[in-house]
Amino acid sequence: MHILGFCTCPDRMIYIIMGVSGSGKSSLGTFLSEKLGWPFYEGDNFHPQENIKKMACGEPLTDQDRFPWLLRLHEVIERERCSGSDALVACSALKRLYRQILLHGSTAVAPNICPHHISPSSPEVFFLYLHGDYDLIHQRMVARQGHYMKVDLLRSQFDILEPPSDEENVLTLDIRRSLGEMVLEVEKHIESLKL
């Protein structure tokens, strides 16, 4: 069955792990992938080279920079959904519009489509929002080695962050908790959805 161009398979789930840079998306995604046996797609790997160069130079990305990247991730999500697979995708997804593109692709930015006519959620896709304050995440980024994202860009990410609302199928995770505790919370969430 297709709804709004989506393949629907209620027994399958896609978790989009979202949050600002340095919130722990990759760590949680890797841990969950190993624990659940689900494939994990690291959003950073789908950025065009121009985006990586900009971030490495300390230049914030614009919406126009992000749109091709978000559309590539939308294709990954759609492929997994249509194949009936469970999957994990890490993507900052800072704005509501970005999350709409992940769910609905280019439809979300089509000039003749009213944003209010696009569903804020999709039956099989859930957002895991890694929530933490600026100081904690800044400390983590300073300690992080080998990532192209400059610490100076963290403030710009917080400036544009639009935390997801309940209607967006979101589970908020407090990053002050241990990785193990967050994974347990996700596992409980999965179990609750199967009831």
Short mmCIF file of all heavy atoms in Angstrom, two decimals, residues 120-165:
data_model
loop_
_atom_site.label_atom_id
_atom_site.label_comp_id
_atom_site.label_asym_id
_atom_site.label_seq_id
_atom_site.Cartn_x
_atom_site.Cartn_y
_atom_site.Cartn_z
N PRO A 120 2.85 15.61 9.39
CA PRO A 120 4.07 15.82 10.16
C PRO A 120 4.76 14.52 10.55
O PRO A 120 5.86 14.53 11.08
CB PRO A 120 3.57 16.56 11.41
CG PRO A 120 2.16 16.10 11.56
CD PRO A 120 1.63 15.87 10.18
N SER A 121 4.09 13.40 10.29
CA SER A 121 4.69 12.12 10.67
C SER A 121 4.37 11.07 9.63
O SER A 121 3.61 11.30 8.70
CB SER A 121 4.17 11.68 12.05
OG SER A 121 2.77 11.49 11.98
N SER A 122 4.97 9.91 9.80
CA SER A 122 4.75 8.78 8.91
C SER A 122 4.67 7.54 9.79
O SER A 122 5.39 7.44 10.78
CB SER A 122 5.93 8.70 7.96
OG SER A 122 5.74 7.66 7.06
N PRO A 123 3.80 6.60 9.47
CA PRO A 123 3.52 5.49 10.41
C PRO A 123 4.73 4.70 10.89
O PRO A 123 4.79 4.30 12.03
CB PRO A 123 2.57 4.59 9.61
CG PRO A 123 2.01 5.44 8.54
CD PRO A 123 3.02 6.50 8.25
N GLU A 124 5.73 4.50 10.01
CA GLU A 124 6.86 3.64 10.41
C GLU A 124 8.11 4.41 10.78
O GLU A 124 9.12 3.80 11.11
CB GLU A 124 7.24 2.67 9.28
CG GLU A 124 6.12 1.91 8.67
CD GLU A 124 5.49 2.65 7.50
OE1 GLU A 124 6.15 3.50 6.89
OE2 GLU A 124 4.32 2.38 7.22
N VAL A 125 8.08 5.73 10.69
CA VAL A 125 9.30 6.51 10.92
C VAL A 125 9.18 7.28 12.23
O VAL A 125 8.20 7.97 12.48
CB VAL A 125 9.57 7.49 9.76
CG1 VAL A 125 10.85 8.28 10.03
CG2 VAL A 125 9.68 6.74 8.44
N PHE A 126 10.21 7.13 13.06
CA PHE A 126 10.25 7.79 14.37
C PHE A 126 11.56 8.57 14.50
O PHE A 126 12.60 8.14 14.01
CB PHE A 126 10.14 6.76 15.50
CG PHE A 126 8.85 6.00 15.46
CD1 PHE A 126 8.74 4.87 14.68
CD2 PHE A 126 7.75 6.42 16.18
CE1 PHE A 126 7.55 4.17 14.61
CE2 PHE A 126 6.56 5.73 16.13
CZ PHE A 126 6.45 4.60 15.33
N PHE A 127 11.47 9.70 15.17
CA PHE A 127 12.66 10.50 15.44
C PHE A 127 13.13 10.25 16.87
O PHE A 127 12.33 10.27 17.81
CB PHE A 127 12.37 12.00 15.26
CG PHE A 127 12.16 12.39 13.83
CD1 PHE A 127 10.88 12.48 13.30
CD2 PHE A 127 13.25 12.66 13.00
CE1 PHE A 127 10.69 12.83 11.97
CE2 PHE A 127 13.07 13.01 11.67
CZ PHE A 127 11.78 13.10 11.16
N LEU A 128 14.41 9.96 17.02
CA LEU A 128 15.04 9.90 18.35
C LEU A 128 15.79 11.21 18.51
O LEU A 128 16.81 11.43 17.85
CB LEU A 128 16.02 8.72 18.43
CG LEU A 128 15.43 7.32 18.27
CD1 LEU A 128 16.54 6.27 18.31
CD2 LEU A 128 14.39 7.04 19.35
N TYR A 129 15.25 12.10 19.33
CA TYR A 129 15.83 13.42 19.49
C TYR A 129 16.79 13.43 20.66
O TYR A 129 16.38 13.28 21.82
CB TYR A 129 14.70 14.44 19.69
CG TYR A 129 15.16 15.83 20.08
CD1 TYR A 129 16.29 16.42 19.51
CD2 TYR A 129 14.44 16.57 21.02
CE1 TYR A 129 16.71 17.69 19.86
CE2 TYR A 129 14.84 17.85 21.38
CZ TYR A 129 15.97 18.40 20.80
OH TYR A 129 16.38 19.66 21.16
N LEU A 130 18.08 13.58 20.37
CA LEU A 130 19.11 13.63 21.41
C LEU A 130 19.19 15.05 21.95
O LEU A 130 19.69 15.95 21.27
CB LEU A 130 20.46 13.17 20.85
CG LEU A 130 20.48 11.73 20.32
CD1 LEU A 130 21.88 11.34 19.89
CD2 LEU A 130 19.95 10.75 21.34
N HIS A 131 18.66 15.23 23.14
CA HIS A 131 18.50 16.55 23.72
C HIS A 131 19.57 16.81 24.78
O HIS A 131 19.79 15.99 25.67
CB HIS A 131 17.12 16.67 24.35
CG HIS A 131 16.87 17.98 25.03
ND1 HIS A 131 17.02 18.15 26.38
CD2 HIS A 131 16.51 19.18 24.53
CE1 HIS A 131 16.75 19.40 26.70
NE2 HIS A 131 16.44 20.05 25.59
N GLY A 132 20.25 17.94 24.67
CA GLY A 132 21.25 18.32 25.66
C GLY A 132 21.52 19.81 25.56
O GLY A 132 21.19 20.44 24.56
N ASP A 133 22.13 20.37 26.61
CA ASP A 133 22.37 21.81 26.57
C ASP A 133 23.70 22.13 25.87
O ASP A 133 24.54 21.27 25.66
CB ASP A 133 22.29 22.45 27.97
CG ASP A 133 23.39 22.00 28.91
OD1 ASP A 133 24.53 21.74 28.44
OD2 ASP A 133 23.15 21.91 30.12
N TYR A 134 23.83 23.41 25.52
CA TYR A 134 24.97 23.87 24.74
C TYR A 134 26.31 23.57 25.41
O TYR A 134 27.23 23.07 24.76
CB TYR A 134 24.84 25.39 24.49
CG TYR A 134 26.02 25.97 23.75
CD1 TYR A 134 26.06 25.95 22.36
CD2 TYR A 134 27.10 26.52 24.44
CE1 TYR A 134 27.15 26.47 21.67
CE2 TYR A 134 28.19 27.05 23.75
CZ TYR A 134 28.21 27.01 22.38
OH TYR A 134 29.29 27.52 21.71
N ASP A 135 26.42 23.85 26.71
CA ASP A 135 27.70 23.68 27.40
C ASP A 135 28.18 22.23 27.38
O ASP A 135 29.36 21.96 27.12
CB ASP A 135 27.61 24.18 28.85
CG ASP A 135 27.47 25.70 28.91
OD1 ASP A 135 27.90 26.38 27.95
OD2 ASP A 135 26.92 26.20 29.91
N LEU A 136 27.28 21.30 27.65
CA LEU A 136 27.64 19.88 27.66
C LEU A 136 28.11 19.44 26.28
O LEU A 136 29.15 18.78 26.13
CB LEU A 136 26.46 19.03 28.13
CG LEU A 136 26.63 17.51 28.03
CD1 LEU A 136 27.81 17.03 28.86
CD2 LEU A 136 25.35 16.80 28.45
N ILE A 137 27.36 19.81 25.25
CA ILE A 137 27.70 19.37 23.89
C ILE A 137 28.98 20.06 23.42
O ILE A 137 29.82 19.44 22.76
CB ILE A 137 26.52 19.61 22.94
CG1 ILE A 137 25.34 18.72 23.37
CG2 ILE A 137 26.91 19.32 21.50
CD1 ILE A 137 24.04 18.97 22.65
N HIS A 138 29.16 21.30 23.80
CA HIS A 138 30.39 22.02 23.45
C HIS A 138 31.61 21.29 24.04
O HIS A 138 32.63 21.11 23.35
CB HIS A 138 30.33 23.47 23.95
CG HIS A 138 31.47 24.31 23.48
ND1 HIS A 138 32.64 24.43 24.21
CD2 HIS A 138 31.65 25.05 22.35
CE1 HIS A 138 33.48 25.22 23.55
NE2 HIS A 138 32.90 25.61 22.43
N GLN A 139 31.52 20.87 25.28
CA GLN A 139 32.62 20.12 25.93
C GLN A 139 32.92 18.85 25.16
O GLN A 139 34.08 18.49 24.94
CB GLN A 139 32.24 19.75 27.37
CG GLN A 139 32.27 20.90 28.35
CD GLN A 139 31.69 20.51 29.71
OE1 GLN A 139 31.43 19.34 29.98
NE2 GLN A 139 31.47 21.49 30.56
N ARG A 140 31.87 18.14 24.74
CA ARG A 140 32.05 16.89 23.99
C ARG A 140 32.74 17.15 22.65
O ARG A 140 33.60 16.38 22.23
CB ARG A 140 30.70 16.22 23.74
CG ARG A 140 30.08 15.63 24.97
CD ARG A 140 28.82 14.88 24.59
NE ARG A 140 28.22 14.23 25.74
CZ ARG A 140 27.19 13.40 25.65
NH1 ARG A 140 26.64 13.14 24.49
NH2 ARG A 140 26.70 12.85 26.73
N MET A 141 32.33 18.23 22.00
CA MET A 141 32.92 18.53 20.68
C MET A 141 34.39 18.92 20.80
O MET A 141 35.20 18.56 19.94
CB MET A 141 32.13 19.63 19.98
CG MET A 141 30.78 19.15 19.46
SD MET A 141 29.94 20.42 18.48
CE MET A 141 30.86 20.35 16.95
N VAL A 142 34.73 19.63 21.85
CA VAL A 142 36.13 20.02 22.07
C VAL A 142 36.99 18.77 22.24
O VAL A 142 38.12 18.69 21.76
CB VAL A 142 36.26 20.95 23.30
CG1 VAL A 142 37.71 21.13 23.71
CG2 VAL A 142 35.63 22.31 23.00
N ALA A 143 36.43 17.75 22.91
CA ALA A 143 37.17 16.51 23.17
C ALA A 143 37.18 15.56 21.97
O ALA A 143 37.98 14.63 21.91
CB ALA A 143 36.56 15.80 24.38
N ARG A 144 36.30 15.81 21.00
CA ARG A 144 36.16 14.89 19.85
C ARG A 144 37.33 15.05 18.89
O ARG A 144 37.74 16.16 18.58
CB ARG A 144 34.82 15.19 19.15
CG ARG A 144 34.50 14.26 18.02
CD ARG A 144 33.06 14.37 17.61
NE ARG A 144 32.74 15.64 16.97
CZ ARG A 144 31.56 15.91 16.42
NH1 ARG A 144 30.60 15.02 16.44
NH2 ARG A 144 31.35 17.09 15.85
N GLN A 145 37.82 13.94 18.39
CA GLN A 145 38.97 13.94 17.47
C GLN A 145 38.53 13.57 16.06
O GLN A 145 37.66 12.73 15.87
CB GLN A 145 40.02 12.92 17.93
CG GLN A 145 40.60 13.19 19.31
CD GLN A 145 41.46 14.44 19.36
OE1 GLN A 145 42.24 14.69 18.46
NE2 GLN A 145 41.29 15.24 20.40
N GLY A 146 39.16 14.21 15.07
CA GLY A 146 39.04 13.75 13.68
C GLY A 146 37.72 14.01 12.98
O GLY A 146 37.43 13.36 11.98
N HIS A 147 36.90 14.94 13.45
CA HIS A 147 35.64 15.24 12.75
C HIS A 147 35.77 16.59 12.07
O HIS A 147 36.34 17.52 12.63
CB HIS A 147 34.47 15.25 13.75
CG HIS A 147 33.13 15.16 13.09
ND1 HIS A 147 32.51 16.24 12.51
CD2 HIS A 147 32.30 14.10 12.90
CE1 HIS A 147 31.34 15.85 12.00
NE2 HIS A 147 31.19 14.56 12.23
N TYR A 148 35.23 16.67 10.84
CA TYR A 148 35.38 17.91 10.07
C TYR A 148 34.53 19.06 10.60
O TYR A 148 34.79 20.22 10.31
CB TYR A 148 35.06 17.68 8.58
CG TYR A 148 33.68 17.12 8.32
CD1 TYR A 148 32.54 17.92 8.40
CD2 TYR A 148 33.52 15.78 7.97
CE1 TYR A 148 31.29 17.40 8.16
CE2 TYR A 148 32.26 15.26 7.71
CZ TYR A 148 31.16 16.07 7.81
OH TYR A 148 29.91 15.54 7.57
N MET A 149 33.51 18.74 11.40
CA MET A 149 32.62 19.80 11.90
C MET A 149 33.34 20.63 12.96
O MET A 149 33.79 20.10 13.98
CB MET A 149 31.37 19.15 12.51
CG MET A 149 30.37 20.13 13.06
SD MET A 149 29.48 20.92 11.74
CE MET A 149 28.16 21.68 12.67
N LYS A 150 33.45 21.92 12.71
CA LYS A 150 34.16 22.81 13.64
C LYS A 150 33.29 23.11 14.87
O LYS A 150 32.08 23.29 14.76
CB LYS A 150 34.49 24.14 12.95
CG LYS A 150 35.44 23.99 11.77
CD LYS A 150 36.85 23.78 12.24
CE LYS A 150 37.82 23.82 11.07
NZ LYS A 150 39.13 23.34 11.43
N VAL A 151 33.94 23.18 16.03
CA VAL A 151 33.24 23.48 17.29
C VAL A 151 32.52 24.83 17.19
O VAL A 151 31.42 25.01 17.73
CB VAL A 151 34.24 23.50 18.48
CG1 VAL A 151 33.55 23.89 19.77
CG2 VAL A 151 34.90 22.15 18.63
N ASP A 152 33.11 25.77 16.46
CA ASP A 152 32.53 27.11 16.32
C ASP A 152 31.14 27.08 15.68
O ASP A 152 30.37 28.03 15.83
CB ASP A 152 33.43 28.00 15.47
CG ASP A 152 34.81 28.18 16.10
OD1 ASP A 152 34.98 27.82 17.27
OD2 ASP A 152 35.71 28.68 15.40
N LEU A 153 30.81 26.02 14.95
CA LEU A 153 29.53 25.94 14.26
C LEU A 153 28.39 25.48 15.17
O LEU A 153 27.23 25.53 14.78
CB LEU A 153 29.62 25.00 13.06
CG LEU A 153 30.49 25.48 11.89
CD1 LEU A 153 30.54 24.43 10.80
CD2 LEU A 153 29.96 26.79 11.34
N LEU A 154 28.73 25.04 16.38
CA LEU A 154 27.69 24.52 17.27
C LEU A 154 26.64 25.58 17.58
O LEU A 154 25.44 25.29 17.58
CB LEU A 154 28.32 23.99 18.57
CG LEU A 154 27.33 23.39 19.57
CD1 LEU A 154 26.60 22.18 18.98
CD2 LEU A 154 28.06 22.97 20.85
N ARG A 155 27.06 26.81 17.84
CA ARG A 155 26.10 27.87 18.16
C ARG A 155 25.11 28.07 17.02
O ARG A 155 23.91 28.24 17.25
CB ARG A 155 26.85 29.18 18.46
CG ARG A 155 25.95 30.37 18.75
CD ARG A 155 24.90 30.12 19.81
NE ARG A 155 25.44 29.90 21.13
CZ ARG A 155 24.73 29.41 22.15
NH1 ARG A 155 23.45 29.08 21.98
NH2 ARG A 155 25.27 29.23 23.33
N SER A 156 25.59 28.01 15.77
CA SER A 156 24.68 28.21 14.63
C SER A 156 23.65 27.08 14.56
O SER A 156 22.52 27.29 14.13
CB SER A 156 25.47 28.30 13.31
OG SER A 156 26.05 27.06 12.96
N GLN A 157 24.05 25.88 14.99
CA GLN A 157 23.10 24.76 15.00
C GLN A 157 22.01 24.98 16.06
O GLN A 157 20.83 24.76 15.80
CB GLN A 157 23.84 23.44 15.24
CG GLN A 157 24.77 23.07 14.10
CD GLN A 157 24.80 21.58 13.84
OE1 GLN A 157 24.63 20.76 14.73
NE2 GLN A 157 25.00 21.22 12.59
N PHE A 158 22.42 25.42 17.24
CA PHE A 158 21.43 25.71 18.28
C PHE A 158 20.51 26.86 17.85
O PHE A 158 19.33 26.86 18.18
CB PHE A 158 22.11 26.04 19.61
CG PHE A 158 22.34 24.84 20.48
CD1 PHE A 158 23.53 24.14 20.42
CD2 PHE A 158 21.36 24.41 21.36
CE1 PHE A 158 23.74 23.02 21.22
CE2 PHE A 158 21.55 23.29 22.17
CZ PHE A 158 22.75 22.60 22.11
N ASP A 159 21.07 27.83 17.12
CA ASP A 159 20.27 28.99 16.69
C ASP A 159 19.12 28.59 15.76
O ASP A 159 18.06 29.21 15.80
CB ASP A 159 21.16 30.02 15.98
CG ASP A 159 22.08 30.76 16.95
OD1 ASP A 159 21.84 30.70 18.17
OD2 ASP A 159 23.04 31.40 16.48
N ILE A 160 19.34 27.58 14.91
CA ILE A 160 18.27 27.20 13.97
C ILE A 160 17.46 25.99 14.45
O ILE A 160 16.47 25.64 13.83
CB ILE A 160 18.81 26.93 12.54
CG1 ILE A 160 19.71 25.68 12.51
CG2 ILE A 160 19.54 28.14 11.99
CD1 ILE A 160 19.99 25.19 11.10
N LEU A 161 17.86 25.39 15.57
CA LEU A 161 17.19 24.18 16.06
C LEU A 161 15.71 24.43 16.35
O LEU A 161 15.36 25.35 17.08
CB LEU A 161 17.89 23.67 17.32
CG LEU A 161 17.24 22.47 18.02
CD1 LEU A 161 17.26 21.23 17.13
CD2 LEU A 161 17.96 22.18 19.35
N GLU A 162 14.85 23.60 15.76
CA GLU A 162 13.42 23.58 16.06
C GLU A 162 13.12 22.19 16.63
O GLU A 162 12.97 21.24 15.88
CB GLU A 162 12.60 23.83 14.80
CG GLU A 162 12.82 25.20 14.18
CD GLU A 162 12.15 25.34 12.82
OE1 GLU A 162 11.46 24.41 12.36
OE2 GLU A 162 12.33 26.40 12.19
N PRO A 163 13.08 22.07 17.97
CA PRO A 163 12.84 20.75 18.55
C PRO A 163 11.55 20.14 18.01
O PRO A 163 10.57 20.86 17.79
CB PRO A 163 12.73 21.03 20.06
CG PRO A 163 13.49 22.30 20.25
CD PRO A 163 13.25 23.11 19.00
N PRO A 164 11.54 18.84 17.77
CA PRO A 164 10.34 18.21 17.21
C PRO A 164 9.18 18.22 18.21
O PRO A 164 9.39 18.15 19.41
CB PRO A 164 10.80 16.78 16.90
CG PRO A 164 11.98 16.56 17.79
CD PRO A 164 12.63 17.89 17.99
N SER A 165 7.98 18.28 17.68
CA SER A 165 6.77 18.24 18.51
C SER A 165 6.29 16.80 18.62
O SER A 165 6.70 15.93 17.84
CB SER A 165 5.68 19.12 17.89
OG SER A 165 5.34 18.62 16.60
#
